[in-house]
Amino acid sequence: MYRELIESCAKDCKWTKLQPPASPAEIARAERALGWRFPEPLKALLKECNGDRWLLKSIDDIIETAKNHREYLEEVYPEIGRNIFFADNGCGDCYGWRIGADGKADESVICRWDHETDEYTAVAKDIPELIRRYYGDEI
């Protein structure tokens, strides 16, 4: 489902390169590294493609982003470590789910985190909408 959607939406984007699927072991490794369980839609996406080298992050990129944010930005942006960012716009802003007080991702909305203002803006209700809106130049 996701591969076909990305191929369709990104057909005119020469930089998009769908990656091979991630294994369940790779996904479990990322969850341990971040300390959060990934929502099922993210697991499904990663099982189809481990990033697209443009919008969607690979597992290693998800881990690296989280570690960098926690290490370098939490002092300035205390909530930055309470996100699962799985996509970015290449300009420093990230897309993902916020983690609630219960330790679970709020899957009701995908937000864009603005790296300059620390503001969160709702941009999509789910991953397919994020993909369609991003590649359609709506966000």
Side-chain angles (χ1 to χ4, degrees):
M1 167 189 132
Y2 290 111
R3 288 186 79 84
E4 292 82 11
L5 177 62
I6 297 163
E7 288 170 343
S8 171
C9 292
K11 66 181 176 282
D12 296 326
C13 181
K14 65 181 178 182
W15 299 284
T16 301
K17 307 268 187 277
L18 286 172
Q19 299 303 295
S23 70
E26 290 173 303
I27 294 169
R29 174 179 60 87
E31 290 176 322
R32 284 191 306 276
L34 271 64
W36 311 114
R37 301 256 323 138
F38 284 1
E40 289 304 317
L42 180 55
K43 290 181 185 182
L45 170 67
L46 293 167
K47 288 176 184 176
E48 285 191 45
C49 67
N50 190 7
D52 69 2
R53 294 200 176 176
W54 189 247
L55 167 66
L56 302 167
K57 294 178 175 289
S58 69
I59 283 177
D60 289 337
D61 291 337
I62 292 170
I63 293 169
E64 181 180 355
T65 297
K67 286 183 177 182
N68 286 339
H69 285 172
R70 290 172 182 174
E71 183 174 348
Y72 300 113
L73 298 179
E74 263 187 336
E75 192 171 307
V76 178
Y77 303 131
E79 294 296 312
I80 195 70
R82 300 197 58 81
N83 294 278
I84 298 175
F85 292 128
F86 61 89
D88 68 50
N89 64 7
C91 298
D93 300 339
C94 297
Y95 301 100
W97 291 288
R98 310 241 15 227
I99 303 296
D102 61 358
K104 296 181 181 176
D106 175 2
E107 294 180 54
S108 68
V109 64
I110 294 172
C111 291
R112 182 186 74 236
W113 171 71
D114 185 304
H115 74 286
E116 294 178 356
T117 64
D118 191 34
E119 292 178 352
Y120 293 84
T121 304
V123 295
K125 68 181 182 317
D126 56 23
I127 294 174
E129 183 180 17
L130 175 70
I131 292 167
R132 283 191 293 274
R133 294 195 69 212
Y134 181 84
Y135 283 112
D137 289 326
E138 295 177 28
I139 54 174

